[in-house]
């Protein structure tokens, strides 16, 4: 199913692909058709009211790859892989990636329906920092050559949060952020923050790392 959104109104398509969005203000609007689990997102301008509007989703291409541990070269068998829109000369990720979960003994994956054009490939796995491979060119109806994604083990940061009088502060959210180098990760997919316990102690087991 695709979800069409205009202003704050939305609707989900029926089995035949039809949809109706009501109670819109007449005039120019932006319609957004999306299905994140299939990497589909398309923006289309529309003027309300409108009838029999057709939204054509391009077939896109494929990104194929294999995820391995950078040090041991062993396959990473459970992970999430997806694409993100980038911008700027330093390949800054400016939108959260659309990701899909994968489980494969050999660490392989295939992303289907990837829109034609240049994308950043983003891979997350428990215990590893996020791997980002920029500027992957996808052609409509074609598959990329297999891309090897090497994952770095995540770091652990721990400590204690205290107030100005030295007493423990509980419930404080602690997150580690990295912004340097050629690629900066600025995504809601960052692992959730650690929360200090009653003694003010926290531990961040893994975090995104600029690459």
């Amino acid at each position: 199913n695709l979800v069409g959104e205009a202003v704050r109104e939305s609707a989900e398509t029926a089995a035949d692909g039809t949809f109706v969005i009501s109670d819109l203000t007449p005039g120019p609007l932006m319609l957004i058709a999306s299905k994140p689990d299939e990497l589909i997102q398309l923006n289309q301008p529309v003027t309300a009211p409108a009838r029999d509007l057709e939204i054509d989703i391009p077939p896109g291409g494929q990104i194929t790859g294999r995820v391995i541990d950078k040090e041991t070269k062993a396959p990473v068998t459970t992970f999430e892989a997806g694409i993100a829109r980038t911008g700027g000369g330093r390949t800054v990720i400016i939108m959260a990636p659309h990701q899909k979960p994968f489980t494969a003994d050999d660490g392989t994956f295939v992303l289907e329906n990837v829109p034609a054009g240049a994308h950043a490939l983003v891979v997350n796995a428990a215990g590893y920092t996020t791997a980002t491979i920029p500027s992957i060119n996808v052609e409509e109806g074609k598959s990329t050559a297999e891309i090897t994604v090497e994952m770095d083990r995540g770091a652990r940061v721990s400590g204690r949060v205290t107030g100005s009088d030295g007493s423990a502060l509980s419930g404080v959210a602690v997150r580690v952020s990295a912004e340097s180098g050629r690629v900066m990760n600025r995504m809601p997919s960052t692992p959730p923050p650690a929360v200090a316990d009653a003694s003010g102690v926290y531990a961040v087991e893994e975090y995104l790392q600029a690459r």
Side-chain angles (χ1 to χ4, degrees):
N1 295 326
L2 294 177
V3 177
E5 298 182 335
V7 191
R8 294 184 179 179
E9 303 295 334
S10 64
E12 189 168 296
T13 56
D16 61 356
T18 59
F19 67 92
V20 176
I21 301 176
S22 304
D23 302 323
L24 299 176
T25 301
L29 300 168
M30 181 61 71
L31 191 72
I32 303 171
S34 65
K35 192 174 183 181
D37 59 342
E38 293 189 14
L39 304 181
I40 293 174
Q41 179 157 321
L42 180 69
N43 297 353
Q44 182 169 319
V46 60
T47 299
R51 294 180 59 87
D52 300 323
L53 179 69
E54 292 190 2
I55 303 175
D56 294 321
I57 305 297
Q62 292 183 338
I63 294 177
T64 62
R66 182 169 179 262
V67 183
I68 63 173
D69 184 293
K70 186 175 182 178
E71 183 176 352
T72 67
K73 307 305 179 185
V76 176
T77 59
T78 302
F79 55 91
E80 291 184 343
I83 57 171
R85 186 161 65 88
T86 63
R90 293 191 295 169
T91 318
V92 178
I93 292 177
I94 59 178
M95 286 188 65
H98 295 289
Q99 290 189 295
K100 298 179 64 175
F102 291 91
T103 300
D105 291 341
D106 59 358
T108 58
F109 67 91
V110 179
L111 293 175
E112 307 274 2
N113 304 315
V114 179
H119 302 277
L121 173 64
V122 181
V123 179
N124 288 307
Y128 294 89
T129 60
T130 295
T132 304
I133 300 179
S135 302
I136 295 175
N137 189 51
V138 177
E139 297 182 61
E140 191 171 298
K142 297 183 179 180
S143 177
T144 65
E146 185 176 270
I147 299 166
T148 299
V149 182
E150 297 184 333
M151 305 292 289
D152 286 310
R153 286 282 177 180
R156 187 176 193 272
V157 177
S158 61
R160 185 167 179 263
V161 183
T162 61
S164 57
D165 59 357
S167 61
L169 294 178
S170 63
V172 177
V174 180
R175 187 192 299 278
V176 177
S177 175
E179 285 194 7
S180 63
R182 293 183 300 106
V183 178
M184 292 189 293
N185 292 308
R186 296 175 176 171
M187 303 180 272
S189 62
T190 304
V195 178
D197 63 18
S199 301
V201 175
Y202 67 90
V204 182
E205 298 294 339
E206 59 195 83
Y207 58 88
L208 294 182
Q209 175 177 322
R211 297 179 61 81

